[in-house]
Amino acid sequence: EDGIRDIGVTGVQTCALPIYVSEMTTTIKQLKDFEGQEVTLNGWVYNIRSIGKIWFLILRDGTGLVQCVVVKAETDEAIFNLESELTQESSVTVTGMVRAEPRSVGGFELGVTNIEVHQIAEEYPISHKEHGTDFLMNNRHLWLRSKNQNAILRVRHQVIKATRDFFDDNGFTLMDSPILTGNSVEGTSTLFELEYFDRSAYLTQSGQLYGEASAMAFGNIYVFGPTFRAEKSKTRRHLTEFWMVEPEMAYCDLDENMTWAEKYVSYVVQWCLEHCKEELKILERDTSGLEKVVPPFPRITYDEAAKILQEKGTDFTYGSDFGGTDETIISEQFDRPVMIHRWPAEIKAFYMKRDVNNDNLALGVDMIAPEGYGEIIGGGQREDDHDLLLGRIKEHKLPVEPLQWYLDLRKYGSVPHSGFGLGIERTVGWITGVKHIRETIPYPRTMYRID
Ligand code: 4AD
Ligand code: MG
């Protein structure tokens, strides 16, 4: 009534200015609101099929696909004859009547009255037959137009939107950490080093340490940005550039940290189930497992997880990190993500607080996604004692000087605090059911691919 469009998010503040809605053209996603009306769609030719006196133009516009029906008896000859001229990915503006058609994707089709051609495309390298992944990745700038890739990246958008909504609505302040840093966070073996004027610097592996400083200034905060690791592993779970969301909470212990993690992950999954129905259908994702993702998640200790592996007769050795197969076996015991906490301190980062009941255990937590998608979250409670932290930095043979500012946080009103980092790409991979995370980011970077 007052011109403010309801965007359907509860708890989100709307501003007094209305969202701009184009009156010139409609998008395929909006067609359901235009049944029985004539609309104009801007897009590209996805495919053409002909049955003589009728031909079908499958149009894509980035928001979806729609079948446009061109009937000889109902259009000008010039328009009908376009069938033999239009090629895959030619750019066109199509006008027509919106009709319900339960058999087509989206439930609607267009009875064409006019087609305006902008460009007849050259022969398009990606046809509708099978191509190898390397070929497709070399053509990633074009592959993004394909139906499945489009659906995956739409889900990514919703994962990020749900992430921001969740933290914003729960009183967290967004505090970005720098990308260029002078110190490592997650060990020195995966650092990308670069020349920085007359010294060297690194691309950040995690925004956590700055996030801790921000939490002491703002209470609950979250960092959200790209992170970098010189991963030499060639797995389907590793990128060299990936996006991480990292909440950090002052006055928060490990248990409360796990509660935030399960609430957040459940929110993202349920949001996507509600808002990505079309995409998940295109991807043929069986969503029955995702529907079970609601709090509480099982919480087990590292020792309990190790016991599961020993009982299953794997060759896992106590004290080491879990490999991909180990994670899958552990996750198969549960119907929702499982949180593994209290790890052998030697295999965890320098900043983790130790368990008061056992100094060999670090108060870290990993969340393992179901269905073999592996670790999506790493986090824990941070060491808040100055002298203990200084000792750990030395034990890990890290230079003290670049971390002096970090030690300061333990001098001026130190408090128990915790946080975690969730990898966006692995989470999108799990929700969409895509096995290799290179398809969950628009332009993936791996050891072998920078183009
Ligand atoms: O477990 P990680 O290394 O934890 C941290 O970086 C902490 N400093 C986060 C924190 O407490 N604020 O990484 C967190 C998550 C992993 O669980 C995984 O989902 C993702 O980041 N991740 C990767 N994703 C893609 N490619 C890689 N090479 C990744 N490395 C980690
Ligand atoms: Mg980890």
Side-chain angles (χ1 to χ4, degrees):
E1 271 168 353
D2 53 9
I4 297 172
R5 204 167 120 200
D6 179 10
I7 55 168
V9 183
T10 50
V12 170
Q13 297 160 4
T14 45
C15 82
L17 286 173
I19 288 173
Y20 174 70
V21 183
S22 169
E23 285 165 13
M24 307 296 287
T25 52
T26 312
T27 62
I28 293 170
K29 206 181 174 110
Q30 297 169 325
L31 286 183
K32 60 178 184 332
D33 301 330
F34 291 89
E35 192 180 343
Q37 295 176 47
E38 183 166 85
V39 298
T40 296
L41 298 170
N42 288 326
W44 294 263
V45 175
Y46 195 69
N47 208 353
I48 286 178
R49 289 186 296 119
S50 177
I51 50 167
K53 292 192 164 51
I54 298 181
W55 60 277
F56 303 96
L57 186 168
I58 313 300
L59 185 78
R60 65 161 197 93
D61 74 346
T63 75
L65 294 171
V66 67
Q67 168 167 285
C68 307
V69 188
V70 192
V71 182
K72 187 161 195 170
E74 292 169 14
T75 41
D76 290 351
E77 204 179 332
I79 293 188
F80 189 79
N81 290 341
L82 283 174
E83 190 242 310
S84 57
E85 282 174 50
L86 291 177
T87 52
Q88 190 185 345
E89 288 305 316
S90 289
S91 39
V92 289
T93 296
V94 181
T95 303
M97 288 292 280
V98 181
R99 302 190 289 244
E101 173 46 72
R103 281 168 302 176
S104 73
V105 224
F108 295 91
E109 65 172 22
L110 214 65
V112 173
T113 52
N114 193 34
I115 300 175
E116 189 189 331
V117 180
H118 302 285
Q119 193 209 20
I120 300 288
E122 289 180 26
E123 193 184 341
Y124 192 61
I126 304 176
S127 63
H128 294 291
K129 61 172 208 273
E130 292 273 311
H131 292 284
T133 309
D134 207 47
F135 172 83
L136 290 168
M137 273 300 171
N138 286 337
N139 286 285
R140 184 62 170 169
H141 55 296
L142 303 176
W143 189 23
L144 293 177
R145 303 179 187 195
S146 298
K147 193 170 60 179
N148 283 26
Q149 297 306 309
N150 208 270
I152 296 164
L153 294 171
R154 272 177 193 293
V155 174
R156 177 188 172 98
H157 172 210
Q158 293 300 325
V159 166
I160 292 173
K161 178 188 164 37
T163 293
R164 292 197 182 280
D165 287 347
F166 178 84
F167 290 112
D168 293 348
D169 292 358
N170 279 296
F172 287 63
T173 303
L174 175 70
M175 277 292 135
D176 293 314
S177 288
I179 305 297
L180 294 169
T181 65
N183 53 263
S184 79
V185 190
E186 298 299 328
T188 47
S189 64
T190 61
L191 276 176
F192 276 117
E193 192 170 353
L194 54 106
E195 263 175 50
Y196 193 76
F197 305 104
D198 56 355
R199 57 161 291 179
S200 65
Y202 309 102
L203 293 178
T204 187
Q205 298 166 303
S206 156
Q208 177 197 320
L209 305 192
Y210 292 94
E212 289 179 51
S214 301
M216 298 307 132
F218 294 85
N220 290 356
I221 64 99
Y222 68 105
V223 182
F224 186 35
T227 45
F228 305 85
R229 301 210 187 160
E231 303 276 6
K232 288 170 198 84
S233 49
K234 230 176 76 177
T235 77
R236 56 190 176 83
R237 292 176 185 169
H238 289 92
L239 297 167
T240 51
E241 178 177 316
F242 61 98
W243 283 66
M244 198 172 5
V245 58
E246 299 180 84
E248 190 71 31
M249 291 76 75
Y251 291 101
C252 176
D253 65 10
L254 179 67
D255 279 342
E256 200 184 332
N257 194 30
M258 290 195 270
T259 300
W260 278 116
E262 69 188 5
K263 276 186 196 299
Y264 161 55
V265 169
S266 305
Y267 181 85
V268 169
V269 169
Q270 295 309 319
W271 174 271
C272 289
L273 285 176
E274 204 175 318
H275 295 89
C276 304
K277 289 197 174 85
E278 202 69 51
E279 287 80 5
L280 296 173
K281 204 161 88 190
I282 289 170
L283 296 167
E284 295 173 4
R285 178 72 167 113
D286 173 1
T287 55
S288 53
L290 296 172
E291 275 150 27
K292 296 186 192 127
V293 180
V294 285
F297 294 177
R299 299 176 185 192
I300 60 171
T301 61
Y302 172 91
D303 280 16
E304 286 164 333
K307 210 148 143 212
I308 291 174
L309 294 176
Q310 275 148 10
E311 278 165 9
K312 295 276 163 195
T314 67
D315 52 11
F316 167 79
T317 39
Y318 184 89
S320 61
D321 204 353
F322 301 124
T325 330
D326 300 328
E327 288 177 351
T328 303
I329 293 169
I330 297 164
S331 71
E332 276 166 358
Q333 314 306 309
F334 306 95
D335 67 349
R336 52 195 91 185
V338 54
M339 292 189 280
I340 305 173
H341 58 90
R342 292 182 166 76
W343 292 69
E346 312 90 72
I347 57 168
K348 286 291 179 191
F350 75 95
Y351 52 70
M352 288 203 186
K353 193 176 176 66
R354 302 288 168 92
D355 189 347
V356 279
N357 300 315
N358 183 345
D359 199 49
N360 297 319
L361 296 179
L363 295 179
V365 56
D366 278 11
M367 187 190 287
I368 315 294
E371 301 173 67
Y373 288 92
E375 180 201 323
I376 52 170
I377 278 182
Q381 187 167 342
R382 325 304 189 186
E383 183 51 73
D384 46 46
D385 179 87
H386 178 277
D387 294 349
L388 287 176
L389 184 60
L390 179 60
R392 302 272 156 67
I393 292 171
K394 289 177 176 164
E395 273 168 37
H396 283 253
K397 301 198 165 51
L398 293 168
V400 177
E401 176 44 35
L403 289 170
Q404 207 60 64
W405 66 270
Y406 184 63
L407 283 160
D408 267 359
L409 306 175
R410 279 71 180 168
K411 291 185 198 159
Y412 308 110
S414 191
V415 298
H417 63 288
S418 304
F420 60 87
L422 171 133
I424 292 291
E425 289 75 16
R426 289 193 192 171
T427 306
V428 174
W430 165 43
I431 294 175
T432 57
V434 169
K435 290 290 176 204
H436 200 302
I437 61 167
R438 68 189 156 208
E439 292 179 38
T440 64
I441 183 164
Y443 305 100
R445 294 292 177 249
T446 60
M447 189 177 174
Y448 297 105
R449 187 171 291 282
I450 191 112
D451 300 303

